[in-house]
Amino acid sequence: MVKLQGFQTLTNVDEALKKWLDAWSIKKSQQIVLPLDDVSDVCGRVLAEDVVALDDLPCFDRSAMDGYAVRYQDSIAASQSCPVKLVVIDTDAEIAIGQAKQVWTGNPLPKGANAVVMLENTVREGNTLTIFSPLAPSINVIRRGEDVKKSQLIAKKGTRITPYIVGLAIALGYSSLKVYQKPIIAILATGNEIVTVGTQIGEHQIFDSNKFVLSAMCQELGTQTINFGIVKDNIEAIAEKIRQALQAADALITTGGTSVGGLDLVPDAVNRVGKPGVIAHGLALRPAMPTGVAVLNDKPVMILSGNPVAAIIGFEVFGRPAICKLLGLNKTEQRLPLKAVLTRKVSGVLGRKTYVRVLVKLEKGELLVEPVSAKGPSAISTMTKSNGYVIIPENCEGLKEGEIVLVQMFSNIVADEEVETCVS
Amino acid sequence: MVKLQGFQTLTNVDEALKKWLDAWSIKKSQQIVLPLDDVSDVCGRVLAEDVVALDDLPCFDRSAMDGYAVRYQDSIAASQSCPVKLVVIDTDAEIAIGQAKQVWTGNPLPKGANAVVMLENTVREGNTLTIFSPLAPSINVIRRGEDVKKSQLIAKKGTRITPYIVGLAIALGYSSLKVYQKPIIAILATGNEIVTVGTQIGEHQIFDSNKFVLSAMCQELGTQTINFGIVKDNIEAIAEKIRQALQAADALITTGGTSVGGLDLVPDAVNRVGKPGVIAHGLALRPAMPTGVAVLNDKPVMILSGNPVAAIIGFEVFGRPAICKLLGLNKTEQRLPLKAVLTRKVSGVLGRKTYVRVLVKLEKGELLVEPVSAKGPSAISTMTKSNGYVIIPENCEGLKEGEIVLVQMFSNIVADEEVETCVS
């Protein structure tokens, strides 16, 4: 049963990703209606409907200032030396020629008025208001529909809901929105040496950390996760867990047992469960070469490395786009791309797409990209010391010091003191 | 009661912020212990303890490859023409001179071995292993402590917990972490014209949207929020709500009634509740000039505008740093700063700090910053069409087309098609 060779060939990452994403479909995702006042549940969800303005916003002309609503025509002759006097009325009647009415910011504009003069530009004695300069039509007025016109598309189906979309929808009179149900991702760890967190560890055993990192990354993207536990390196036991996971979830992520060693049984277990099984295994990707992608029951299966960093990068490359598709998003959400200056050269490997972990700092207004010293795919401390990736393409030998590079940011930039502490 | 004047003077934003943040202290925040396997609760929390490595990681020498553990000294004479032959053993005995033992990636390195030769660089017949080139000491070995050394500081007290910190802590044997309790923020809307979402709206009324936007922004930062409802423009009613809110919460945010018009009663209501009350009101900030900041019962009070965009910008400027302080973070978390080229000039106002909403796009690898047409502080659609702010400082008249500017990003960058749809 022992295979005596490494990966015979490595598959190009972009080709594998495209082929795999095309090899499974999104199930008719359940749509649910969520009330907008439960913002903690609504924000981050994905719209299952176009949000269209039900009316103009605002739906009446409003004053933009504290002051007096007037007819601009009455102000045309006003000047410092020759001010215009108007009569202040206090009823809901239409503003007639020569009249004014006090308004506060946000108040509806009284009928007949078509401009607002700011309080500080007026003098009032009794019911007489004096103004000293001409007003333009509609000055200091927020016109009906100025923010949004009725029937305008506010947010498209497949958009992730932000606090601002919630605010705009409420302002437009929505009290709920139709969203997609959260997809469910099953996560399974494999390996004889893996031990559950919180239990006693034996010699040469290691704690199961990957499952929780991957679970957190899935949840950050807006999915539910199911912890499918740890399974030993036994092909039938792994296959059985995979069968169960695919019953319970919309997608499966495994971690461990994915290289080509004697105990790397996950790809074979996947193929034992069904067709088409493994689509690609062994990728031109550094780290995370032993990553595999598969399809079972028309559901995506991600076969990630047991090495923590390789598992994380494998998830970034394959898990993120797959989950965006499962969520019903219009497009894969990329990490925020940031351009900055590389402080030290980094080497790539020709023919491999390389993910370099970097720490981006803001120093005296300058964004600097410092590569975090590479320690191999098992060193998860490199993830806590970095806040972004730089991707070196397959056809590039490396990046030069001083070069401007595009960084995909996965964590915040912290100020110098704190960063220093973390880099130690 | 009617005040006839606008703000007499405007306070500098940075000075007001500093003075206000110094004017209240953080209560001894409750610390709680959270199990690490509940990642959805742990991630995003703030550490209430330094996380220090309890042991070396890994805590034993491991193989980085599938192959054979050997003594590198035995390989020194090996070459293609004159290979070295070793005897493969299959026991847990120490590797002696001339011996080798098969290992898989991640396996502990057998005693006596100090290098690993990769499977693909060997030929095995029975128990005889042939190698064809010399090995360097420790090659393909992950040394004990290579990732993290025992006692090393992993993450400092006051750091926000990421998935990677969880992973590293679990790998190091932590099963729980000490974090701060989430601060509680009360949010109160004021205004006679404001109506609760989901109810019937009358003429010239508007829905209460700000409270939900602000609540979502607070929750994104990791706080709990309490919805304190809507209060009419009545100074004693507002004061009573403020008293109740400060009993229930660690901080209060109000929205509406904060200019200097006849119904702008919130600052006076705050001062009626206690000392020191309002610290600054009327800021050299655009939009969000009528923002106020106050302190009551040694707790921060943010008096935000009723105009949606002004409320959001007021929250960015004052709410974000205040909440970071309440969370127990070491530093205010800034929005991710991104440098890119401005596609159109934007004007500032001398003496005012101006927040310009912009849409950052990635076009053919180029990051472009497009100002979103300004429509005044009430137009919340400008927030759904933009993904960042550019800040024009007080001493600057504006920014030129083609200039490289720093953008504070608050939403993702989406690809061209989708962005076009949203900008419409």
Side-chain angles (χ1 to χ4, degrees):
Chain A
M1 287 299 295
V2 173
K3 301 172 208 159
L4 285 172
Q5 301 266 287
F7 288 104
Q8 296 297 305
T9 54
L10 298 177
T11 310
N12 173 279
V13 173
D14 297 334
E15 286 167 21
L17 177 61
K18 192 183 174 322
K19 190 174 166 196
W20 177 59
L21 287 177
D22 288 344
W24 51 273
S25 52
I26 321 176
K27 306 303 152 301
K28 260 268 175 300
S29 194
Q30 273 318 99
Q31 299 181 7
I32 50 172
V33 174
L34 290 182
L36 284 175
D37 52 7
D38 185 6
V39 276
S40 63
D41 197 14
V42 174
C43 284
R45 294 277 197 160
V46 178
L47 278 171
E49 59 178 344
D50 285 347
V51 181
V52 172
L54 308 171
D55 199 348
D56 287 336
L57 184 70
C59 61
F60 49 90
D61 290 350
R62 304 171 66 189
S63 176
M65 292 288 172
D66 295 334
Y68 290 88
V70 300
R71 291 161 26 91
Y72 83 92
Q73 297 93 331
D74 292 347
S75 73
I76 287 172
S79 69
Q80 206 63 37
S81 58
C82 190
V84 162
K85 287 186 190 299
L86 301 172
V87 177
V88 179
I89 64 166
D90 196 21
T91 67
D92 285 341
E94 197 169 321
I95 305 284
I97 295 177
Q99 292 186 333
K101 187 182 178 189
Q102 186 156 25
V103 286
W104 305 116
T105 305
N107 280 172
L109 198 70
K111 277 208 183 102
N114 52 24
V116 170
V117 54
M118 287 166 70
L119 208 56
E120 43 267 60
N121 297 335
T122 64
V123 169
R124 179 172 173 179
E125 288 171 291
N127 282 339
T128 303
L129 184 77
T130 310
I131 61 176
F132 304 89
S133 54
L135 301 168
S138 293
I139 187 86
N140 299 323
V141 173
I142 303 165
R143 300 298 302 271
R144 179 186 179 118
E146 180 178 301
D147 191 353
V148 175
K149 294 253 180 303
K150 185 173 178 173
S151 303
Q152 197 178 321
L153 179 65
I154 297 314
K156 210 175 160 181
K157 181 177 168 173
T159 302
R160 197 187 285 277
I161 299 173
T162 64
Y164 319 114
I165 291 176
V166 170
L168 185 48
I170 291 177
L172 286 166
Y174 282 87
S175 58
S176 60
L177 287 176
K178 208 180 281 176
V179 303
Y180 293 118
Q181 194 78 269
K182 292 184 179 184
I184 300 169
I185 318 294
I187 308 179
L188 172 65
T190 74
N192 292 335
E193 76 283 25
I194 308 296
V195 176
T196 300
V197 54
T199 57
Q200 193 58 43
I201 201 164
E203 200 193 2
H204 298 160
Q205 291 189 312
I206 61 172
F207 284 112
D208 168 26
S209 59
N210 289 355
K211 212 171 47 197
F212 297 101
V213 177
L214 294 167
S215 177
M217 294 177 83
C218 285
Q219 290 175 17
E220 276 186 347
L221 281 168
T223 74
Q224 291 181 271
T225 57
I226 305 179
N227 178 346
F228 254 77
I230 300 167
V231 59
K232 298 277 180 202
D233 294 318
N234 172 305
I235 193 164
E236 194 38 59
I238 298 171
E240 184 49 34
K241 278 281 193 184
I242 292 173
R243 279 186 208 102
Q244 290 169 16
L246 291 171
Q247 293 279 326
D250 301 304
L252 168 65
I253 299 176
T254 67
T255 167
T258 182
S259 191
V260 286
L263 296 179
D264 291 310
L265 306 170
V266 178
D268 286 345
V270 165
N271 282 334
R272 188 173 286 203
V273 170
K275 298 275 171 197
V278 175
I279 302 271
H281 179 217
L283 289 150
L285 178 61
R286 185 163 165 259
M289 189 250 280
T291 305
V293 283
V295 177
L296 291 172
N297 303 359
D298 200 26
K299 292 176 179 179
V301 177
M302 289 149 260
I303 306 167
L304 302 183
S305 170
N307 272 323
V309 181
I312 292 166
I313 303 290
F315 182 83
E316 283 290 331
V317 176
F318 294 97
R320 174 172 277 271
I323 284 177
C324 288
K325 181 177 167 182
L326 287 168
L327 284 164
L329 283 167
N330 290 328
K331 276 214 64 85
T332 293
E333 265 174 8
Q334 307 292 342
R335 298 287 191 181
L336 264 183
L338 179 153
K339 281 196 171 181
V341 178
L342 198 62
T343 61
R344 219 168 57 227
K345 70 161 189 168
V346 286
S347 310
V349 173
L350 274 183
R352 302 251 198 124
K353 192 175 221 179
T354 303
Y355 278 64
V356 181
R357 283 139 277 159
V358 299
L359 179 68
V360 179
K361 310 196 218 183
L362 186 63
E363 278 181 8
K364 297 175 193 148
E366 214 45 59
L367 286 167
L368 300 176
V369 183
E370 189 178 277
V372 170
S373 63
K375 279 183 177 175
S378 70
I380 187 170
S381 68
T382 59
M383 292 300 305
T384 62
K385 288 175 186 164
S386 54
N387 54 12
Y389 311 107
V390 170
I391 301 173
I392 307 179
E394 288 87 343
N395 60 1
C396 175
E397 286 186 32
L399 303 166
K400 290 190 285 285
E401 178 182 331
E403 204 163 335
I404 292 177
V405 293
L406 201 65
V407 186
Q408 320 283 326
M409 299 298 294
F410 58 79
S411 289
N412 262 332
I413 295 176
V414 248
D416 306 353
E417 321 89 81
E418 267 71 43
V419 169
E420 290 294 317
T421 313
C422 279
V423 173
S424 69
Chain B
M1 287 300 294
V2 173
K3 299 170 205 159
L4 285 173
Q5 301 265 290
F7 288 103
Q8 296 298 304
T9 55
L10 297 177
T11 311
N12 173 280
V13 172
D14 296 334
E15 286 166 20
L17 177 62
K18 192 183 174 323
K19 190 174 166 195
W20 177 59
L21 287 177
D22 288 344
W24 51 274
S25 52
I26 322 178
K27 306 304 152 300
K28 259 269 175 298
S29 194
Q30 273 317 100
Q31 299 182 6
I32 51 173
V33 174
L34 289 183
L36 285 175
D37 52 8
D38 185 5
V39 276
S40 63
D41 197 15
V42 174
C43 283
R45 295 276 197 162
V46 178
L47 278 172
E49 61 178 343
D50 285 345
V51 181
V52 172
L54 308 170
D55 198 350
D56 288 335
L57 183 70
C59 62
F60 49 89
D61 290 350
R62 304 171 67 191
S63 176
M65 292 288 171
D66 296 333
Y68 290 87
V70 300
R71 293 160 24 91
Y72 83 90
Q73 298 92 332
D74 293 346
S75 73
I76 287 172
S79 68
Q80 207 61 38
S81 58
C82 191
V84 162
K85 289 187 190 297
L86 301 171
V87 177
V88 179
I89 62 164
D90 195 21
T91 66
D92 285 340
E94 199 168 321
I95 305 284
I97 296 177
Q99 291 186 333
K101 188 183 177 189
Q102 187 156 26
V103 286
W104 304 116
T105 305
N107 281 172
L109 199 71
K111 279 210 182 102
N114 51 23
V116 170
V117 53
M118 287 165 73
L119 208 54
E120 45 267 60
N121 297 337
T122 64
V123 169
R124 181 171 172 180
E125 289 170 288
N127 282 338
T128 304
L129 184 77
T130 309
I131 61 176
F132 303 88
S133 55
L135 301 169
S138 292
I139 187 84
N140 299 322
V141 173
I142 303 164
R143 301 297 302 268
R144 178 185 180 118
E146 180 177 300
D147 190 354
V148 175
K149 293 253 180 304
K150 185 173 178 172
S151 304
Q152 198 179 322
L153 180 64
I154 297 315
K156 211 174 161 180
K157 180 176 168 173
T159 301
R160 197 186 284 276
I161 300 174
T162 63
Y164 319 113
I165 291 175
V166 170
L168 185 49
I170 291 177
L172 285 165
Y174 281 86
S175 57
S176 62
L177 287 175
K178 209 180 280 175
V179 302
Y180 293 118
Q181 194 78 269
K182 291 183 179 186
I184 300 169
I185 317 294
I187 308 179
L188 172 64
T190 74
N192 292 335
E193 76 282 25
I194 307 296
V195 176
T196 300
V197 55
T199 58
Q200 193 57 42
I201 201 165
E203 201 192 1
H204 299 159
Q205 291 191 311
I206 60 172
F207 283 112
D208 168 26
S209 59
N210 289 356
K211 212 170 48 194
F212 297 100
V213 177
L214 294 167
S215 177
M217 293 177 82
C218 285
Q219 289 175 16
E220 275 186 348
L221 282 168
T223 73
Q224 291 182 269
T225 58
I226 306 180
N227 178 346
F228 254 77
I230 300 167
V231 60
K232 297 276 180 204
D233 293 319
N234 171 305
I235 193 164
E236 193 40 58
I238 299 171
E240 184 49 34
K241 277 280 192 183
I242 292 173
R243 280 185 207 102
Q244 290 169 16
L246 291 170
Q247 293 279 326
D250 302 305
L252 168 64
I253 299 176
T254 67
T255 167
T258 181
S259 192
V260 287
L263 296 178
D264 291 309
L265 306 169
V266 178
D268 286 345
V270 165
N271 282 332
R272 188 172 286 202
V273 171
K275 298 273 175 204
V278 175
I279 302 272
H281 180 217
L283 288 152
L285 178 62
R286 185 165 165 258
M289 189 250 279
T291 306
V293 283
V295 177
L296 292 172
N297 302 359
D298 200 26
K299 291 176 180 178
V301 178
M302 289 150 261
I303 306 168
L304 302 183
S305 169
N307 271 323
V309 180
I312 292 166
I313 304 289
F315 181 84
E316 284 289 332
V317 176
F318 294 97
R320 175 173 277 271
I323 285 178
C324 288
K325 181 177 166 182
L326 287 167
L327 284 164
L329 282 167
N330 290 329
K331 277 214 63 86
T332 294
E333 265 174 6
Q334 307 293 341
R335 298 287 192 181
L336 264 183
L338 179 152
K339 282 196 171 181
V341 178
L342 199 60
T343 61
R344 221 167 58 227
K345 70 162 190 166
V346 287
S347 310
V349 174
L350 274 182
R352 302 250 197 124
K353 191 176 222 179
T354 303
Y355 278 63
V356 181
R357 282 140 277 158
V358 298
L359 180 67
V360 179
K361 309 197 219 183
L362 187 62
E363 278 182 8
K364 296 175 192 147
E366 215 43 60
L367 286 166
L368 301 176
V369 183
E370 188 178 277
V372 170
S373 63
K375 281 182 175 175
S378 71
I380 186 170
S381 69
T382 59
M383 293 300 304
T384 62
K385 288 175 186 164
S386 54
N387 54 12
Y389 311 107
V390 170
I391 301 174
I392 307 179
E394 289 86 344
N395 61 1
C396 174
E397 287 186 32
L399 303 167
K400 289 190 285 285
E401 179 183 330
E403 204 164 333
I404 292 178
V405 295
L406 202 64
V407 186
Q408 319 284 325
M409 300 298 294
F410 58 79
S411 288
N412 261 332
I413 295 175
V414 248
D416 305 353
E417 319 89 83
E418 267 71 41
V419 168
E420 290 295 317
T421 313
C422 280
V423 172
S424 71

